[in-house]
């Protein structure tokens, strides 16, 4: 602590001034900054390494804007990737996969019997792995059978399930999943 002497003309006497308040301010700023770093996780040097080690997908690079969200959803069993340790973070989600993700958000993904044999009309096409999930989504009211069958017939040149889901379609499914889940 430094003491500075000076003459105060207003009071007409010599005064002494310390830098105690300045020292307290610096200490307060240091404690606040340290607290913020601890709470945000930036003070942990192992955090980036741990996050990278936890990331199950080889195509989701460290530092990708959605890396922590993708990893979290994987460990919550909401998403599983495209296979072979890949996720395709810049790709579009198909309708069939959006249904599976919505069931995952609802906590119903594991309750689906994957061995169920499901038959849909020939114009309502999708991959075999998705059929039990879409069937469950129909039964739970997540998607409406009539609407989706009509959509499939109007897009007869495409597979309903493998077609990229529009933002509006995903939003509607997500709202229904939120209301049910």
């Amino acid at each position: 602590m430094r003491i500075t002497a000076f003459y105060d003309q207003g009071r007409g006497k010599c005064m002494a001034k310390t830098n105690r308040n300045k020292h307290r301010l610096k200490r307060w700023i240091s404690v606040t900054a340290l607290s913020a770093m601890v709470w945000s996780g930036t003070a942990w040097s192992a955090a980036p390494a741990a996050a990278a080690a936890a990331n199950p997908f080889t195509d989701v690079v460290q530092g990708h804007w959605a890396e922590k969200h993708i990893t979290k959803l994987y460990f919550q069993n909401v998403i599983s990737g495209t296979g072979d340790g890949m996720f395709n973070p810049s790709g579009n989600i198909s309708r069939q996969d959006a249904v599976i993700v919505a069931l995952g958000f609802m906590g119903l993904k594991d309750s689906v019997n994957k061995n169920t044999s499901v038959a849909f009309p020939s114009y309502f096409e999708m991959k075999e792995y998705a059929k039990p999930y879409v069937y469950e989504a129909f039964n739970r009211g997540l998607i409406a059978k009539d609407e989706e069958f009509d959509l499939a017939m109007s897009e007869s040149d495409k597979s309903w399930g493998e077609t990229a889901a529009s933002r509006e379609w995903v939003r509607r499914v997500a709202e229904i999943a939120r209301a049910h889940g």
Side-chain angles (χ1 to χ4, degrees):
M1 176 170 39
R2 187 173 17 152
I3 299 174
T4 307
F6 64 97
Y7 181 76
D8 186 348
Q9 291 182 345
R11 293 184 182 168
K13 57 183 176 179
C14 284
M15 303 289 290
K17 178 171 122 177
T18 66
N19 64 349
R20 179 180 291 173
N21 288 341
K22 192 176 197 181
H23 178 71
R24 284 183 183 167
L25 178 63
K26 284 182 181 178
R27 187 171 44 177
W28 182 83
I29 289 172
S30 298
V31 168
T32 304
L34 180 62
S35 298
M37 287 181 355
V38 168
W39 283 106
S40 69
T42 56
W44 311 113
S45 60
N55 179 357
F57 303 112
T58 58
D59 62 340
V60 179
V61 296
Q62 186 175 1
H64 185 277
W65 67 269
E67 176 189 19
K68 69 179 181 178
H69 306 293
I70 292 168
T71 303
K72 179 180 177 182
L73 291 173
Y74 172 80
F75 285 112
Q76 290 177 337
N77 197 30
V78 173
I79 61 172
S80 56
T82 62
D84 298 331
M86 305 292 272
F87 180 76
N88 190 13
S90 59
N92 294 322
I93 189 166
S94 65
R95 289 181 187 135
Q96 62 196 13
D97 291 332
V99 166
I100 295 169
V101 168
L103 288 170
F105 274 121
M106 295 171 70
L108 300 172
K109 187 175 168 185
D110 289 335
S111 66
V112 173
N113 183 354
K114 296 167 196 71
N115 298 321
T116 300
S117 179
V118 180
F120 290 120
S122 60
Y123 58 84
F124 194 68
E125 298 175 17
M126 70 193 73
K127 297 273 189 173
E128 275 305 309
Y129 75 87
K131 287 182 179 182
Y133 296 100
V134 172
Y135 180 75
E136 184 71 21
F138 283 146
N139 290 338
R140 300 273 182 175
L142 187 59
I143 53 177
K145 190 181 290 187
D146 293 338
E147 288 178 20
E148 299 308 323
F149 284 177
D150 288 345
L151 180 60
M153 285 195 307
S154 70
E155 299 175 341
S156 60
D157 59 326
K158 303 176 189 175
S159 164
W160 174 89
E162 294 180 78
T163 300
S166 69
R167 288 181 183 175
E168 295 80 19
W169 191 89
V170 171
R171 181 194 51 78
R172 185 182 61 190
V173 170
E175 285 177 357
I176 295 169
R178 188 177 311 130
H180 284 82

